Amino acid sequence: MPARSEPWALWHLLGSALAAACASPAGATKAGPEAQVPVFAAGDARVGTAGFVAETLRLHHERDGVRYTLMAFVVGDTLTLGAMVRGKFAGEVRWRIGDRRLSFAFDTDAAARDVPVSERDAGTQLRGQGASFRGTSWVNLDLPLAGWAADGTPLELTFVPRAGAALALPDGGYHYTMRLVPR
């Protein structure tokens, strides 16, 4: 009997592994650190003033002297996401917000003001606003809060250079878990 149970055990293990692989989509990440996204009232006097950026969520990772930043905040019913680079970068930026995937081309040497942003699987074309100042370039994307983000929404930002390894915020196969914090 033991000789007959070994193939069954192998098939059982293979079946369990296949079921686990099918349960989570390719490239899926695990819940990681909490990202406390500040929420400001639509008429908040701080919004748009000098120093307002210090009031926003900014998460950084530095590699080879280049600083990559995820920025996020809410004003009224609008979620603003920012992808920032201090230094040189040319490639693609990819956002994951819940089940949605967004991407756009980003080149710090040719920072565009109006940036086309594609939403994978939806065929939607959104627009981001690009700018640069003192060696930092960024693209901000304004989205309606409703239907895009809530407490517990997974959030990731990945910079994929034309050459070299991608850099993800957070790294290690995790995603941030959004928590909206009134300010």
Side-chain angles (χ1 to χ4, degrees):
M1 191 73 154
R4 296 184 107 190
S5 65
E6 287 179 25
W8 179 85
L10 179 59
W11 281 110
H12 179 71
L13 286 172
L14 288 173
S16 297
L18 181 59
C22 291
S24 57
T29 55
K30 302 172 287 251
E34 186 176 81
Q36 295 185 8
V37 178
V39 178
F40 301 90
D44 192 311
R46 295 174 286 183
V47 176
T49 62
F52 174 68
V53 74
E55 301 279 335
T56 67
L57 170 71
R58 287 166 294 132
L59 303 167
H60 313 285
H61 186 84
E62 198 161 318
R63 180 193 288 167
D64 300 328
V66 177
R67 186 177 201 177
Y68 301 88
T69 302
L70 177 157
M71 183 178 73
F73 62 93
V74 175
V75 176
D77 60 359
T78 302
L79 168 66
T80 299
L81 299 174
M84 306 170 77
V85 176
R86 184 175 63 199
K88 299 284 186 186
F89 174 82
E92 184 179 52
V93 172
R94 298 177 185 161
W95 280 102
R96 173 182 170 217
I97 305 114
D99 292 332
R100 293 178 144 156
R101 306 283 196 272
L102 305 174
S103 63
F104 57 91
F106 190 34
D107 186 340
T108 57
D109 285 340
R113 299 279 178 224
D114 182 43
V115 180
V117 178
S118 298
E119 182 179 1
R120 191 180 81 194
D121 300 331
T124 307
Q125 203 57 354
L126 305 169
R127 306 307 285 180
Q129 297 297 312
S132 60
F133 183 71
R134 293 186 182 172
T136 299
S137 298
W138 64 89
V139 173
N140 286 349
L141 181 61
D142 291 335
L143 303 166
L145 184 60
W148 279 87
D151 282 340
T153 300
L155 179 65
E156 300 176 46
L157 176 59
T158 305
F159 294 87
V160 183
R162 289 186 189 133
L167 182 134
L169 293 164
D171 62 2
Y174 291 92
H175 62 258
Y176 293 110
T177 301
M178 290 179 68
R179 185 163 75 90
L180 303 175
V181 180
R183 294 282 166 99

